[in-house]
Amino acid sequence: MARPAARQLELVPAEPPGRKPARLEVARPPRAGAPAPAGAGAGGAAAPAAPERAAAAPAPHAPRRRATAEQMAQRQREISISEFFTKNRHLLGFDNPSKALLTTIKEAVDNSLDACEEAGILPEITVEVRDLAWEKSQGNDLTKGEGRFVVVVEDNGPGIVKAQVPKIFGKLLYGSKFHRLKQSRGQQGIGISAAAMYGQLTTGQPIRVVSRTGKARPAHLFEIQIDTRKNDPVVTRDDEQREWHQEHGTRVELEIVANWQQGQKFVNRYVEHTALANPHATVHYLRPKQERLTFPRATDELPKEALEIKPHPHGVELGALMLMAAESRSHDVKGFLGSAFSRVSPAVADEILKAAAFKGRVRPRDLAEDRHLAESLHRAIQATKIMAPPTNCLSPIGDALMKKGLVSFLQVIESEGPEAEEEGQLDLDSAGKKRKSAKERRAEAAAPEVPDAPPEEGVEKIKGHNYFIATVTRPPRVYRGNPFQVEVGLAYGGSWPADKPIELFRFANRVPLLFQRGACGVTEAVVKTDWRNYLLSQPRGSLPVGPMALLVHVASVWVPFTSESKEAVAHYPEIIREIQLAAQECGRKLATHIRKRQHADYQAQRRSIFELYIEEVAQALGKITGKSPAPIKREFLRVAEQVTEAELEEKEAAEKASGNPRRRDEDE
Amino acid sequence: MARMDVVSKQTAQKIERLAEQVMRAVKGGKNPFVEIPVRSLANVRFDPRKRIVQLGGQRQKRYFFNVAMAKKFMQTFLVSDACKELVESGKTTSIRDLYYITKHTIGETRQNTFEEQDESDPIIEDLEVALDALREELHLFASRKGSMVGPITIRDSGDTIDLRRMGSGGWAVPSIVEENVIEFVRHEARYVLLIEKDAVWTRFNEDKFWKRERCVILQGGGQPPRGVRRLVQRLHAELKLPVYVLVDNDPWGFYIYSVMKQGSINLAYESMRMAVPDARFVGLSSFDKDKFRLPANVAIKMDDGDVSRAKQMLGYPWFKEARWQREIQEMVRSGVKFELEALSRRGISFITEEYLPRKLKEKDWLE
């Protein structure tokens, strides 16, 4: 993986040969009045137009120039990052009003959870969506399609220092998480400010933030707008609030254009799944025209604190290596390696240097300047065996909590899932209820449940349905020098449809991934696993079919997403393999359960068959022998209970084996 | 009917013993079962000395506490119960009637004790072999088909019947033709002719073939039922009359002859009473098409089922004789089959006036 990246970097110092003719063309004498192509990429746009012009003009004449370098220079200026994202909002998940609604909530909730965990506070988060038009015209229907909505996310986190609030919410690419290697939900420092910008762009309203850092201190209310040219916050309101119900925490309010009608299914699912993957958090969910929905926390234990680590040498790319060398304060390369990377002991550093075979004294500064030197060091690093990075920095959900999360998740969705009119695979709960067709109900009636089956390990009775729950947490592993850890949990049975593909819940660093399922490495791993070994049916190249939800969580200091909108995990073989191993482990537990259940079903069915026929046989025998059928029936029932089928089969097999086909019975 | 009472008593006792054995097993905490001789090809063998198909020694146990067998076990005792009642009340009924007698809904389910008559018929046969009691002894009969005429006087349930005066329909052969029901009074027949088809038999009756030839003619409407087979066997055994079988020239016809001669696989336990190993196959032979100059257009093309059936027959022990092998191979080779009616192409009474007399005269038959 390091090689192609290195080649890419080469392009920076060396002039690509293909661009030279274009540049010469631009340098030719000017012609006044030529129309200039619009847009920032002027150099690129001029080139293709030139030959067209040449064909139109008489042959001996060179194409007419349209603009001089000086003229063009006047139009060349810095693009602010916020301007860029104004135009490219889809890159951050604001493609359309329904997705923007989800992304806005998601960015705010991610920040809240990260902050609470970092501060060591059990998170209690309120997510509220308000339909402004509906509130004004009380009693009417909710806004259909696009409309103005207010999104409120409030947490009980540590709060934000007054001086930082404007920058955090009013400046893109500002944050604490970009420069470190640590498992957290946010990574770039772009999300919430992008949401604020989206709101400003669509409604003109500033983001409203209330934050309080402690009981003794006042709460502050800010209204912040973004100067999209300068990428700087403009505070339009800054009030102190004496009274605020939270001792500490942050409340964010954004007015945005959204589509609740279409977007609510994403939000519902996001909230449900966030509660599932964060069993230590309480989540309140308030929606227009609906009852408040609360996912209570399943544990009072905070997840293990995720630790920050230094990068592992095997994961570093050449350009990054040069950059790190430039920033190093060490005097020699050995010191640089030891201080900048994890797992590089003096002995390992010596080994690397020996493999690099530098001539003379080389300082980190030299590495930053000389690409050849850096390259040989990079090669030496890759060739040296280095201990895997520390993995204790990760914070998985853990077996027990995953189970608790699944149970409380099922409890909530079983009782109050979203509206019944919703459709599609996103809504497992309502779909599950609907899909329970008359046919299934008939099947249930035909095969009555065993009334007093002993509770099996791993089976949870939730709202009258039995679910089998199994979880597996794999030991941490490393891809490209980044530690990661995979967890898989499954819930099987209950009221889920048996004839539909399973529900796959993907999580990365506890954040639910709702889109691009097909493009995700998690999906690939689950599809590649042969679930038929675990008694589920599975069409070729698809998810298995059965009444099951499968939860896959990938935790890492750096989760490799396929794109900036963080919707799918990249297909790293190491990650896919770990997911498969975890899925297989869970699958084995599932197969044991299914087998047990099949056996129990079979036993129950058998007993009912016998009980059915005993009546008939007893009547007939009674009539033939002239005796009362009641005692005969009792004898039969006694045998039916006493002698289990298994014992009988064993007995028969033993008798067959001994070549004595039940002579004894005949003699009696 | 004093003798009958003895038999009835025995039959009733057999059923009682079967039930008591089951109840003892249950009392002892054991899985009760009924032991039934296996009535399948695997347990049927050809006795070359007696020249009949006989049941082997294999027995199967039908357990109650076995999901696959429980229902059949239950059915066996429903049928046993009904038969015992019939025997004790001295009444006789059809197997279809028995199906209705024993059919009812189980408990509060939608299940019936029997869904189809196809379910109860094999249970009756099971019970026959399990008890070693004939169907007649269980007071059951199959649906009646088959008719008979000829220079013979019989007594049927006390009524004396002259089978020369039976008009065009003939005497309907009852299902039960044991000595206690049918007695042969006197006869002047020289042989017995069993014809596969009712239509052809009608031709023989109308042409008074039996009068001219002094023979008894019977038909069984395809595969002859037990009554017809048992009657033919009795005519052969008691009156020493040779038996000739006239069937279509196709594998099914051969099979009818084979059942008449050796007994069937399903009823192998009754071969002794049913089979006539000396029965002769007079036609229609695969070689008759040339001998009697039948035009090619009356032939029927054999389908795949016919061919594989014929090939299967080549392997039957009782068709191992060289002349039979030639006969069947010729059918397979030519790929065509003929119905008896094909002979009518040569004239409406060709079969009674020329074909059969010539066959018999030339002793052109297979054994």
Side-chain angles (χ1 to χ4, degrees), chain B residues 162-209:
Chain B
D162 184 350
L163 295 191
R164 282 169 298 199
R165 298 157 191 278
M166 296 311 297
S168 59
W171 174 66
V173 182
S175 180
I176 297 175
V177 294
E178 297 306 311
E179 295 96 328
N180 56 294
V181 180
I182 308 289
E183 285 172 75
F184 302 131
V185 181
R186 60 181 166 268
H187 78 95
E188 36 187 85
R190 292 188 299 136
Y191 61 89
V192 174
L193 178 65
L194 176 67
I195 300 164
E196 177 180 346
K197 290 172 156 172
D198 177 37
V200 180
W201 178 88
T202 306
R203 163 71 28 236
F204 275 76
N205 188 22
E206 202 173 279
D207 291 354
K208 295 284 179 255
F209 180 85

Short mmCIF file of all heavy atoms in Angstrom, two decimals, chain B residues 162-209:
data_model
loop_
_atom_site.label_atom_id
_atom_site.label_comp_id
_atom_site.label_asym_id
_atom_site.label_seq_id
_atom_site.Cartn_x
_atom_site.Cartn_y
_atom_site.Cartn_z
N ASP B 162 -77.73 -72.19 -12.89
CA ASP B 162 -77.21 -72.83 -14.10
C ASP B 162 -76.54 -71.76 -14.93
O ASP B 162 -77.20 -70.86 -15.43
CB ASP B 162 -78.37 -73.47 -14.88
CG ASP B 162 -77.86 -74.23 -16.09
OD1 ASP B 162 -76.65 -74.09 -16.42
OD2 ASP B 162 -78.66 -74.95 -16.71
N LEU B 163 -75.24 -71.85 -15.07
CA LEU B 163 -74.51 -70.76 -15.73
C LEU B 163 -74.65 -70.79 -17.24
O LEU B 163 -74.03 -70.00 -17.94
CB LEU B 163 -73.03 -70.79 -15.31
CG LEU B 163 -72.75 -70.51 -13.83
CD1 LEU B 163 -71.26 -70.29 -13.60
CD2 LEU B 163 -73.51 -69.29 -13.32
N ARG B 164 -75.48 -71.74 -17.78
CA ARG B 164 -75.78 -71.71 -19.21
C ARG B 164 -76.94 -70.78 -19.49
O ARG B 164 -77.25 -70.46 -20.61
CB ARG B 164 -76.13 -73.12 -19.71
CG ARG B 164 -74.91 -73.99 -19.90
CD ARG B 164 -75.29 -75.43 -20.12
NE ARG B 164 -76.01 -75.97 -18.96
CZ ARG B 164 -76.14 -77.27 -18.74
NH1 ARG B 164 -75.64 -78.15 -19.59
NH2 ARG B 164 -76.79 -77.69 -17.69
N ARG B 165 -77.59 -70.37 -18.46
CA ARG B 165 -78.79 -69.53 -18.64
C ARG B 165 -78.58 -68.16 -17.97
O ARG B 165 -79.37 -67.72 -17.17
CB ARG B 165 -80.00 -70.23 -18.01
CG ARG B 165 -80.32 -71.54 -18.65
CD ARG B 165 -81.11 -72.43 -17.69
NE ARG B 165 -81.20 -73.80 -18.18
CZ ARG B 165 -82.09 -74.18 -19.09
NH1 ARG B 165 -82.95 -73.37 -19.58
NH2 ARG B 165 -82.11 -75.45 -19.50
N MET B 166 -77.52 -67.54 -18.36
CA MET B 166 -77.22 -66.26 -17.69
C MET B 166 -77.40 -65.06 -18.60
O MET B 166 -77.00 -63.95 -18.27
CB MET B 166 -75.79 -66.26 -17.15
CG MET B 166 -75.53 -67.28 -16.06
SD MET B 166 -76.77 -67.28 -14.74
CE MET B 166 -76.56 -65.67 -14.07
N GLY B 167 -77.99 -65.30 -19.78
CA GLY B 167 -78.24 -64.16 -20.67
C GLY B 167 -76.95 -63.53 -21.16
O GLY B 167 -75.91 -64.19 -21.23
N SER B 168 -77.03 -62.26 -21.48
CA SER B 168 -75.86 -61.62 -22.09
C SER B 168 -74.86 -61.13 -21.05
O SER B 168 -73.69 -60.95 -21.34
CB SER B 168 -76.30 -60.43 -22.96
OG SER B 168 -77.00 -59.51 -22.14
N GLY B 169 -75.31 -60.91 -19.83
CA GLY B 169 -74.41 -60.32 -18.82
C GLY B 169 -73.59 -61.32 -18.05
O GLY B 169 -72.57 -60.98 -17.51
N GLY B 170 -74.07 -62.56 -18.02
CA GLY B 170 -73.35 -63.58 -17.26
C GLY B 170 -73.60 -63.46 -15.78
O GLY B 170 -74.30 -62.57 -15.30
N TRP B 171 -73.00 -64.37 -15.07
CA TRP B 171 -73.14 -64.41 -13.60
C TRP B 171 -72.04 -63.55 -13.00
O TRP B 171 -70.86 -63.71 -13.33
CB TRP B 171 -73.05 -65.85 -13.12
CG TRP B 171 -73.04 -66.01 -11.63
CD1 TRP B 171 -74.05 -65.72 -10.77
CD2 TRP B 171 -71.95 -66.50 -10.85
NE1 TRP B 171 -73.68 -66.01 -9.49
CE2 TRP B 171 -72.39 -66.50 -9.50
CE3 TRP B 171 -70.67 -66.96 -11.15
CZ2 TRP B 171 -71.57 -66.92 -8.46
CZ3 TRP B 171 -69.87 -67.39 -10.10
CH2 TRP B 171 -70.32 -67.36 -8.76
N ALA B 172 -72.44 -62.63 -12.16
CA ALA B 172 -71.44 -61.75 -11.54
C ALA B 172 -70.70 -62.54 -10.47
O ALA B 172 -71.32 -63.10 -9.56
CB ALA B 172 -72.11 -60.53 -10.93
N VAL B 173 -69.38 -62.58 -10.56
CA VAL B 173 -68.58 -63.35 -9.62
C VAL B 173 -68.47 -62.54 -8.33
O VAL B 173 -68.01 -61.41 -8.35
CB VAL B 173 -67.18 -63.63 -10.19
CG1 VAL B 173 -66.37 -64.47 -9.20
CG2 VAL B 173 -67.27 -64.32 -11.54
N PRO B 174 -68.92 -63.12 -7.22
CA PRO B 174 -68.82 -62.36 -5.98
C PRO B 174 -67.37 -62.29 -5.49
O PRO B 174 -66.49 -62.95 -6.03
CB PRO B 174 -69.69 -63.15 -5.00
CG PRO B 174 -69.77 -64.51 -5.56
CD PRO B 174 -69.53 -64.43 -7.03
N SER B 175 -67.17 -61.48 -4.49
CA SER B 175 -65.83 -61.30 -3.97
C SER B 175 -65.39 -62.53 -3.18
O SER B 175 -64.24 -62.94 -3.22
CB SER B 175 -65.77 -60.06 -3.09
OG SER B 175 -64.49 -59.87 -2.60
N ILE B 176 -66.35 -63.09 -2.44
CA ILE B 176 -66.02 -64.26 -1.64
C ILE B 176 -66.59 -65.50 -2.31
O ILE B 176 -67.81 -65.59 -2.52
CB ILE B 176 -66.57 -64.10 -0.20
CG1 ILE B 176 -65.89 -62.89 0.45
CG2 ILE B 176 -66.32 -65.36 0.61
CD1 ILE B 176 -66.43 -62.56 1.83
N VAL B 177 -65.72 -66.40 -2.68
CA VAL B 177 -66.16 -67.58 -3.45
C VAL B 177 -65.68 -68.86 -2.76
O VAL B 177 -65.44 -69.87 -3.41
CB VAL B 177 -65.63 -67.53 -4.90
CG1 VAL B 177 -66.26 -66.38 -5.64
CG2 VAL B 177 -64.12 -67.42 -4.94
N GLU B 178 -65.52 -68.78 -1.46
CA GLU B 178 -65.06 -69.97 -0.74
C GLU B 178 -66.14 -71.06 -0.77
O GLU B 178 -67.30 -70.79 -1.11
CB GLU B 178 -64.73 -69.59 0.71
CG GLU B 178 -63.58 -68.60 0.84
CD GLU B 178 -62.31 -69.04 0.13
OE1 GLU B 178 -61.89 -70.20 0.31
OE2 GLU B 178 -61.78 -68.25 -0.66
N GLU B 179 -65.74 -72.26 -0.39
CA GLU B 179 -66.65 -73.41 -0.47
C GLU B 179 -67.95 -73.14 0.26
O GLU B 179 -69.02 -73.61 -0.16
CB GLU B 179 -66.01 -74.67 0.15
CG GLU B 179 -64.79 -75.18 -0.58
CD GLU B 179 -63.50 -74.69 0.02
OE1 GLU B 179 -63.50 -73.55 0.54
OE2 GLU B 179 -62.50 -75.40 -0.02
N ASN B 180 -67.88 -72.42 1.33
CA ASN B 180 -69.11 -72.19 2.09
C ASN B 180 -70.09 -71.27 1.38
O ASN B 180 -71.24 -71.20 1.71
CB ASN B 180 -68.77 -71.63 3.48
CG ASN B 180 -67.94 -70.38 3.37
OD1 ASN B 180 -66.81 -70.43 2.91
ND2 ASN B 180 -68.52 -69.26 3.74
N VAL B 181 -69.61 -70.56 0.38
CA VAL B 181 -70.49 -69.67 -0.38
C VAL B 181 -70.82 -70.29 -1.74
O VAL B 181 -71.98 -70.36 -2.14
CB VAL B 181 -69.86 -68.29 -0.56
CG1 VAL B 181 -70.79 -67.37 -1.33
CG2 VAL B 181 -69.50 -67.68 0.79
N ILE B 182 -69.80 -70.73 -2.44
CA ILE B 182 -69.98 -71.27 -3.79
C ILE B 182 -69.66 -72.77 -3.80
O ILE B 182 -68.55 -73.16 -3.40
CB ILE B 182 -69.04 -70.56 -4.81
CG1 ILE B 182 -69.19 -69.03 -4.72
CG2 ILE B 182 -69.28 -71.08 -6.22
CD1 ILE B 182 -70.46 -68.48 -5.26
N GLU B 183 -70.61 -73.50 -4.28
CA GLU B 183 -70.35 -74.94 -4.45
C GLU B 183 -70.53 -75.30 -5.91
O GLU B 183 -71.41 -74.77 -6.57
CB GLU B 183 -71.35 -75.76 -3.62
CG GLU B 183 -71.06 -75.75 -2.13
CD GLU B 183 -72.19 -76.40 -1.37
OE1 GLU B 183 -72.31 -77.64 -1.40
OE2 GLU B 183 -72.99 -75.64 -0.79
N PHE B 184 -69.67 -76.18 -6.41
CA PHE B 184 -69.85 -76.65 -7.79
C PHE B 184 -70.78 -77.86 -7.74
O PHE B 184 -70.48 -78.86 -7.07
CB PHE B 184 -68.51 -77.06 -8.39
CG PHE B 184 -67.50 -75.92 -8.38
CD1 PHE B 184 -66.22 -76.13 -7.89
CD2 PHE B 184 -67.85 -74.67 -8.86
CE1 PHE B 184 -65.30 -75.10 -7.89
CE2 PHE B 184 -66.93 -73.64 -8.84
CZ PHE B 184 -65.67 -73.85 -8.36
N VAL B 185 -71.92 -77.78 -8.46
CA VAL B 185 -72.89 -78.87 -8.42
C VAL B 185 -72.56 -79.92 -9.49
O VAL B 185 -72.30 -81.07 -9.21
CB VAL B 185 -74.33 -78.35 -8.59
CG1 VAL B 185 -75.32 -79.49 -8.51
CG2 VAL B 185 -74.62 -77.30 -7.51
N ARG B 186 -72.58 -79.48 -10.73
CA ARG B 186 -72.17 -80.39 -11.83
C ARG B 186 -71.68 -79.55 -12.98
O ARG B 186 -71.95 -78.35 -13.07
CB ARG B 186 -73.34 -81.30 -12.24
CG ARG B 186 -74.55 -80.53 -12.73
CD ARG B 186 -75.70 -81.42 -13.11
NE ARG B 186 -76.90 -80.58 -13.24
CZ ARG B 186 -77.76 -80.36 -12.24
NH1 ARG B 186 -77.58 -80.92 -11.06
NH2 ARG B 186 -78.81 -79.58 -12.43
N HIS B 187 -70.97 -80.21 -13.93
CA HIS B 187 -70.46 -79.45 -15.06
C HIS B 187 -70.09 -80.39 -16.19
O HIS B 187 -69.92 -81.59 -15.99
CB HIS B 187 -69.21 -78.66 -14.63
CG HIS B 187 -67.98 -79.51 -14.56
ND1 HIS B 187 -67.09 -79.62 -15.59
CD2 HIS B 187 -67.50 -80.34 -13.59
CE1 HIS B 187 -66.11 -80.44 -15.27
NE2 HIS B 187 -66.36 -80.91 -14.03
N GLU B 188 -70.02 -79.85 -17.38
CA GLU B 188 -69.48 -80.63 -18.49
C GLU B 188 -68.42 -79.82 -19.23
O GLU B 188 -68.24 -79.95 -20.43
CB GLU B 188 -70.59 -81.07 -19.44
CG GLU B 188 -71.70 -80.04 -19.60
CD GLU B 188 -72.87 -80.58 -20.40
OE1 GLU B 188 -73.75 -81.25 -19.80
OE2 GLU B 188 -72.88 -80.36 -21.62
N ALA B 189 -67.73 -78.95 -18.52
CA ALA B 189 -66.72 -78.10 -19.15
C ALA B 189 -65.44 -78.89 -19.36
O ALA B 189 -65.12 -79.80 -18.60
CB ALA B 189 -66.43 -76.89 -18.28
N ARG B 190 -64.71 -78.48 -20.43
CA ARG B 190 -63.44 -79.14 -20.71
C ARG B 190 -62.27 -78.28 -20.21
O ARG B 190 -61.22 -78.77 -19.90
CB ARG B 190 -63.30 -79.39 -22.21
CG ARG B 190 -64.29 -80.43 -22.75
CD ARG B 190 -63.97 -80.78 -24.19
NE ARG B 190 -64.05 -79.59 -25.03
CZ ARG B 190 -63.16 -79.26 -25.97
NH1 ARG B 190 -62.08 -80.01 -26.14
NH2 ARG B 190 -63.32 -78.19 -26.70
N TYR B 191 -62.52 -76.97 -20.22
CA TYR B 191 -61.46 -76.07 -19.75
C TYR B 191 -62.04 -74.73 -19.31
O TYR B 191 -63.23 -74.47 -19.50
CB TYR B 191 -60.36 -75.87 -20.81
CG TYR B 191 -60.83 -75.25 -22.11
CD1 TYR B 191 -60.85 -73.84 -22.25
CD2 TYR B 191 -61.22 -76.03 -23.20
CE1 TYR B 191 -61.25 -73.27 -23.44
CE2 TYR B 191 -61.62 -75.47 -24.39
CZ TYR B 191 -61.63 -74.08 -24.51
OH TYR B 191 -62.04 -73.50 -25.69
N VAL B 192 -61.16 -73.90 -18.72
CA VAL B 192 -61.55 -72.57 -18.26
C VAL B 192 -60.80 -71.55 -19.11
O VAL B 192 -59.59 -71.69 -19.32
CB VAL B 192 -61.17 -72.37 -16.77
CG1 VAL B 192 -61.45 -70.94 -16.33
CG2 VAL B 192 -61.90 -73.36 -15.90
N LEU B 193 -61.54 -70.54 -19.59
CA LEU B 193 -60.88 -69.47 -20.36
C LEU B 193 -61.07 -68.15 -19.60
O LEU B 193 -62.20 -67.69 -19.41
CB LEU B 193 -61.50 -69.37 -21.76
CG LEU B 193 -60.94 -68.26 -22.65
CD1 LEU B 193 -59.47 -68.48 -22.97
CD2 LEU B 193 -61.75 -68.16 -23.94
N LEU B 194 -59.95 -67.56 -19.17
CA LEU B 194 -60.01 -66.26 -18.49
C LEU B 194 -59.64 -65.17 -19.49
O LEU B 194 -58.56 -65.20 -20.07
CB LEU B 194 -59.03 -66.24 -17.30
CG LEU B 194 -58.94 -64.89 -16.57
CD1 LEU B 194 -60.23 -64.55 -15.86
CD2 LEU B 194 -57.79 -64.88 -15.57
N ILE B 195 -60.58 -64.27 -19.70
CA ILE B 195 -60.38 -63.20 -20.69
C ILE B 195 -60.16 -61.89 -19.96
O ILE B 195 -60.86 -61.58 -18.98
CB ILE B 195 -61.60 -63.10 -21.64
CG1 ILE B 195 -61.78 -64.44 -22.37
CG2 ILE B 195 -61.44 -61.96 -22.62
CD1 ILE B 195 -63.13 -64.60 -23.01
N GLU B 196 -59.19 -61.13 -20.44
CA GLU B 196 -58.84 -59.88 -19.75
C GLU B 196 -60.01 -58.91 -19.74
O GLU B 196 -60.30 -58.29 -18.73
CB GLU B 196 -57.62 -59.24 -20.41
CG GLU B 196 -57.23 -57.90 -19.78
CD GLU B 196 -56.01 -57.24 -20.44
OE1 GLU B 196 -55.30 -57.91 -21.19
OE2 GLU B 196 -55.81 -56.04 -20.20
N LYS B 197 -60.66 -58.80 -20.91
CA LYS B 197 -61.58 -57.67 -21.06
C LYS B 197 -63.03 -58.08 -21.14
O LYS B 197 -63.39 -59.06 -21.78
CB LYS B 197 -61.22 -56.91 -22.34
CG LYS B 197 -59.91 -56.18 -22.22
CD LYS B 197 -59.54 -55.62 -23.55
CE LYS B 197 -58.61 -54.44 -23.39
NZ LYS B 197 -58.11 -54.02 -24.70
N ASP B 198 -63.82 -57.27 -20.55
CA ASP B 198 -65.26 -57.43 -20.56
C ASP B 198 -65.80 -57.45 -21.99
O ASP B 198 -66.61 -58.29 -22.36
CB ASP B 198 -65.87 -56.27 -19.76
CG ASP B 198 -67.38 -56.30 -19.75
OD1 ASP B 198 -67.92 -57.42 -19.68
OD2 ASP B 198 -67.99 -55.22 -19.81
N ALA B 199 -65.32 -56.54 -22.84
CA ALA B 199 -65.83 -56.41 -24.20
C ALA B 199 -65.56 -57.68 -25.01
O ALA B 199 -66.44 -58.16 -25.75
CB ALA B 199 -65.21 -55.20 -24.89
N VAL B 200 -64.39 -58.21 -24.84
CA VAL B 200 -64.03 -59.42 -25.59
C VAL B 200 -64.83 -60.62 -25.07
O VAL B 200 -65.30 -61.47 -25.83
CB VAL B 200 -62.50 -59.67 -25.50
CG1 VAL B 200 -62.13 -60.92 -26.27
CG2 VAL B 200 -61.75 -58.46 -26.01
N TRP B 201 -64.99 -60.63 -23.74
CA TRP B 201 -65.79 -61.71 -23.13
C TRP B 201 -67.21 -61.69 -23.68
O TRP B 201 -67.81 -62.72 -23.97
CB TRP B 201 -65.78 -61.52 -21.61
CG TRP B 201 -66.59 -62.52 -20.84
CD1 TRP B 201 -66.16 -63.73 -20.38
CD2 TRP B 201 -67.96 -62.41 -20.48
NE1 TRP B 201 -67.17 -64.39 -19.74
CE2 TRP B 201 -68.30 -63.60 -19.78
CE3 TRP B 201 -68.96 -61.45 -20.68
CZ2 TRP B 201 -69.58 -63.83 -19.27
CZ3 TRP B 201 -70.22 -61.68 -20.17
CH2 TRP B 201 -70.54 -62.87 -19.47
N THR B 202 -67.76 -60.49 -23.83
CA THR B 202 -69.11 -60.34 -24.38
C THR B 202 -69.20 -60.96 -25.78
O THR B 202 -70.18 -61.60 -26.13
CB THR B 202 -69.49 -58.85 -24.43
OG1 THR B 202 -69.31 -58.30 -23.13
CG2 THR B 202 -70.94 -58.66 -24.84
N ARG B 203 -68.16 -60.75 -26.58
CA ARG B 203 -68.12 -61.36 -27.91
C ARG B 203 -68.18 -62.89 -27.79
O ARG B 203 -68.96 -63.54 -28.46
CB ARG B 203 -66.84 -60.90 -28.63
CG ARG B 203 -66.37 -61.67 -29.82
CD ARG B 203 -67.20 -61.54 -31.09
NE ARG B 203 -67.89 -60.29 -31.18
CZ ARG B 203 -69.23 -60.17 -31.32
NH1 ARG B 203 -69.97 -61.25 -31.45
NH2 ARG B 203 -69.80 -59.01 -31.36
N PHE B 204 -67.40 -63.41 -26.88
CA PHE B 204 -67.36 -64.87 -26.70
C PHE B 204 -68.72 -65.39 -26.23
O PHE B 204 -69.16 -66.46 -26.65
CB PHE B 204 -66.27 -65.26 -25.68
CG PHE B 204 -64.90 -65.37 -26.28
CD1 PHE B 204 -64.16 -64.25 -26.61
CD2 PHE B 204 -64.35 -66.62 -26.53
CE1 PHE B 204 -62.92 -64.35 -27.17
CE2 PHE B 204 -63.08 -66.73 -27.09
CZ PHE B 204 -62.37 -65.60 -27.42
N ASN B 205 -69.37 -64.64 -25.37
CA ASN B 205 -70.66 -65.06 -24.85
C ASN B 205 -71.71 -65.00 -25.94
O ASN B 205 -72.50 -65.94 -26.12
CB ASN B 205 -71.04 -64.16 -23.66
CG ASN B 205 -72.29 -64.66 -22.94
OD1 ASN B 205 -72.63 -65.85 -23.04
ND2 ASN B 205 -72.96 -63.77 -22.23
N GLU B 206 -71.70 -63.90 -26.71
CA GLU B 206 -72.69 -63.72 -27.75
C GLU B 206 -72.54 -64.81 -28.83
O GLU B 206 -73.53 -65.32 -29.35
CB GLU B 206 -72.53 -62.34 -28.38
CG GLU B 206 -73.76 -61.82 -29.08
CD GLU B 206 -73.55 -60.37 -29.52
OE1 GLU B 206 -73.71 -59.46 -28.66
OE2 GLU B 206 -73.19 -60.14 -30.68
N ASP B 207 -71.31 -65.13 -29.12
CA ASP B 207 -71.06 -66.16 -30.14
C ASP B 207 -71.25 -67.58 -29.58
O ASP B 207 -71.01 -68.57 -30.27
CB ASP B 207 -69.62 -66.03 -30.68
CG ASP B 207 -69.46 -64.76 -31.51
OD1 ASP B 207 -70.48 -64.08 -31.74
OD2 ASP B 207 -68.33 -64.44 -31.90
N LYS B 208 -71.64 -67.66 -28.32
CA LYS B 208 -71.84 -68.95 -27.63
C LYS B 208 -70.61 -69.84 -27.78
O LYS B 208 -70.72 -71.06 -28.01
CB LYS B 208 -73.10 -69.66 -28.18
CG LYS B 208 -74.39 -68.90 -27.87
CD LYS B 208 -74.80 -69.06 -26.41
CE LYS B 208 -76.07 -68.27 -26.10
NZ LYS B 208 -75.84 -67.05 -25.35
N PHE B 209 -69.50 -69.22 -27.69
CA PHE B 209 -68.25 -69.95 -27.78
C PHE B 209 -68.18 -71.06 -26.74
O PHE B 209 -67.75 -72.17 -27.02
CB PHE B 209 -67.08 -68.96 -27.58
CG PHE B 209 -65.72 -69.57 -27.65
CD1 PHE B 209 -65.09 -69.76 -28.88
CD2 PHE B 209 -65.05 -69.98 -26.49
CE1 PHE B 209 -63.82 -70.32 -28.94
CE2 PHE B 209 -63.78 -70.54 -26.55
CZ PHE B 209 -63.17 -70.72 -27.78
#
